[in-house]
Amino acid sequence: MKLAMLSTTVAIAALSIATPVRAENPTHVRQLLATGECPSCDLSGANLSGAHLIGADLRNANLSGANLTNANLEGADLEGANLQKANLQKVLASDTSLIDANLKGANFQQAQLASTVFDGAVVTGANFQGAKLYTANFDNQ
C-alpha cells in the first residue's frame, strides 16, 4: 500500500514539474484572436503559432516568450511591445511597426520582414539568421 502511494506521489510530482508554465491571460488571447486588438495585453508565453494577426493592435503588449512561428503580422502595430525571447521564426511582417519594441533574444530566423520599422527597438541578441529584410528601417540603433 505504501509503495503504491509512493509511486502515485512520484508520478504526480513528475507531471507537475514537466507541465509548462503558461503566463498569458486567456481572456486577452481570445480578445486578440476575435478582434485583432489587444493593446497592453498580457500575452507572455502565448501560443500564437500560425495566427493571422493582420493589422493587429498590439501596442505595448507583453509577448515575451510567445510563440509566433509562421504568424502573419502584416500591418500590425507592435510599438513598445515586449517580444523578449519570443519565437518569430518564419513570421511574415510587412508594413509592421516594431518601434521601441523590446526584441532582446527574439528569434526571427527565416522571417520575411518587408518595410518593417525597428526605430528605437532593442535588438540585442535577436537572431535574424536566414531572415529576409526588405527596406527594414533600423534608425536610432
Side-chain angles (χ1 to χ4, degrees), residues 104-122:
K104 288 182 183 176
N107 180 10
F108 285 96
Q109 283 184 307
Q110 299 174 343
Q112 294 185 41
L113 309 167
S115 300
T116 300
V117 182
F118 292 89
D119 289 359
V122 180

Side-chain angles (χ1 to χ4, degrees), residues 22-24 29 42-49 63-68:
R22 297 191 64 122
E24 89 274 2
V29 173
D42 179 10
L43 301 164
S44 57
N47 183 3
L48 298 167
S49 178
L63 290 147
S64 61
N67 180 6
L68 291 151

Side-chain angles (χ1 to χ4, degrees), residues 19-108:
T19 304
V21 176
R22 297 191 64 122
E24 89 274 2
N25 181 325
T27 302
H28 290 173
V29 173
R30 284 192 298 276
Q31 175 185 335
L32 173 62
L33 295 176
T35 68
E37 296 184 9
C38 210
S40 301
C41 284
D42 179 10
L43 301 164
S44 57
N47 183 3
L48 298 167
S49 178
H52 292 276
L53 303 173
I54 300 165
D57 182 355
L58 289 162
R59 289 171 293 145
N60 300 306
N62 182 2
L63 290 147
S64 61
N67 180 6
L68 291 151
T69 304
N70 290 310
N72 187 333
L73 295 170
E74 290 180 277
D77 188 351
L78 290 132
E79 184 173 343
N82 180 3
L83 289 148
Q84 186 169 349
K85 296 186 180 178
N87 187 357
L88 296 135
Q89 190 171 6
K90 298 182 181 178
V91 75
L92 176 59
S94 63
D95 297 313
T96 301
S97 174
L98 289 163
I99 295 170
D100 296 327
N102 178 356
L103 304 173
K104 288 182 183 176
N107 180 10
F108 285 96

